[in-house]
Amino acid sequence: MRRWALVLIGLGVGLFAGSQLSASRAHTTALWTGVAATVVGLVMFAASGPTPPEEAADGAEPRPGPPGLGSRVEQILRLAEEQAAAHLREAEHSARRVQARVEAGLWLVLREADDGGRYEVARLESRADADAVVAALETRGHLQRYSVAPAGS
């Protein structure tokens, strides 16, 4: 019913506008037919009320948009959740590896190059030994910067 109401509104506005745009303005029949069609269309549109939402089979809220769009969006979201879970598992695995290396006491002495890269200089079993190596390298007057980091980071 809403579709017919919109057709009548469009037809009525078209007839009304066409009669007003004519040079002779003698088309009173078109003018009144356009007004009547517009009024009838508006009344039908108002009487039809809002369209009831489609009820989902599983009791969930209805999905807006064209048919099939909701299922496609659900597939995309499910894939995104699976990928996020895979990334999370990988990050947790890497964190456990780093933690194990830190707990094992492996420390790296890193040289920071001019190009921004960091290169391993030494791998030591205690933080104190790594700090001593950095202090020794810096007292030699090298232009590079040195830092200490846990192995695996």
Side-chain angles (χ1 to χ4, degrees):
M1 186 157 146
R2 288 176 84 81
R3 194 174 292 169
W4 283 110
L6 292 173
V7 167
L8 283 174
I9 291 170
L11 179 65
V13 169
L15 285 170
F16 178 76
S19 69
Q20 293 299 309
L21 293 175
S22 92
S24 66
R25 294 195 185 249
H27 300 288
T28 57
T29 306
L31 170 75
W32 290 113
T33 305
V35 169
T38 303
V39 168
V40 169
L42 288 171
V43 168
M44 284 177 65
F45 189 78
S48 66
T51 54
E54 298 176 278
E55 299 215 11
D58 60 355
E61 289 191 27
R63 295 185 190 119
L69 179 63
S71 62
R72 181 67 180 137
V73 169
E74 284 178 6
Q75 288 174 345
I76 292 170
L77 289 174
R78 199 170 17 258
L79 177 63
E81 287 174 353
E82 290 170 5
Q83 289 176 345
H87 288 299
L88 184 59
R89 282 191 302 273
E90 184 179 327
E92 288 172 347
H93 179 69
S94 294
R96 282 192 297 272
R97 261 194 346 231
V98 169
Q99 184 66 30
R101 287 182 180 169
V102 168
E103 288 172 359
L106 298 178
W107 293 89
L108 300 178
V109 175
L110 301 171
R111 178 179 57 88
E112 297 176 20
D114 294 335
D115 63 0
R118 297 175 73 189
Y119 303 97
E120 184 178 334
V121 174
R123 188 177 289 246
L124 303 161
E125 292 188 15
S126 74
R127 172 79 191 232
D129 291 342
D131 287 333
V133 169
V134 167
L137 289 170
E138 288 178 345
T139 57
R140 290 177 147 180
H142 286 279
L143 297 177
Q144 270 80 25
R145 295 180 45 168
Y146 296 93
S147 61
V148 174
S153 61

